[in-house]
């Protein structure tokens, strides 16, 4: 799952609540931290929703693997938060179509 929000709206707290559940792993802005500011900007400027979705899938896979290693396989759901200006606004409808 992905929590989509704008900055300074309490999503870090929201993600931490999810993360407290024994079957859920929710990371705080995993995609942004994995790519860094320059990588995220480059990805958005490239204008490819497919490449953006590939990075989302890589983040989900990394979170799943990390969760299995840490919890011994108890985690059944993984997700992270992403801010509007971290690609959501740039890809808009195409992104939501891909997420369905």
């Amino acid at each position: 799952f992905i929590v989509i929000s704008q900055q300074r709206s309490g999503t870090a707290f929201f993600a931490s609540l999810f993360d407290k559940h024994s079957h859920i792993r929710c990371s705080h802005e995993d995609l942004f931290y994995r790519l860094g500011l320059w990588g995220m900007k480059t990805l958005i400027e490239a204008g490819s929703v497919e490449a953006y979705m590939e990075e989302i899938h890589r983040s989900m896979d990394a979170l799943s693997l990390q969760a299995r290693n840490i919890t011994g396989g108890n985690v059944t759901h993984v997700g992270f938060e992403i801010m509007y200006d971290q690609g959501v606004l740039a890809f808009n409808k195409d992104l939501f179509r891909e997420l369905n």
Side-chain angles (χ1 to χ4, degrees), residues 16-77:
S16 73
L17 291 177
F18 271 129
D19 209 34
K20 290 183 188 292
H21 192 284
S22 61
H23 295 283
I24 298 173
R25 170 71 175 109
C26 187
S27 177
H28 175 68
E29 294 189 66
D30 186 75
L31 183 65
F32 178 75
Y33 289 126
R34 198 168 58 75
L35 294 176
L37 180 59
W38 184 84
M40 181 67 81
K41 186 176 181 183
T42 301
L43 182 64
I44 293 168
E45 287 175 355
S48 167
V49 71
E50 291 82 10
Y52 190 79
M53 286 302 298
E54 183 110 355
E55 291 301 330
I56 286 176
H57 288 295
R58 282 190 188 125
S59 285
M60 291 297 213
D61 290 344
L63 281 173
S64 294
L65 181 62
Q66 179 188 50
R68 278 195 301 268
N69 290 338
I70 292 171
T71 66
N74 292 334
V75 171
T76 57
H77 297 80

Side-chain angles (χ1 to χ4, degrees), residues 2-5 31 40 52 80-84 86 88:
I2 301 173
V3 177
I4 300 172
S5 186
L31 183 65
M40 181 67 81
Y52 190 79
F80 61 91
E81 63 180 90
I82 191 164
M83 302 298 138
Y84 282 120
Q86 294 173 348
V88 177

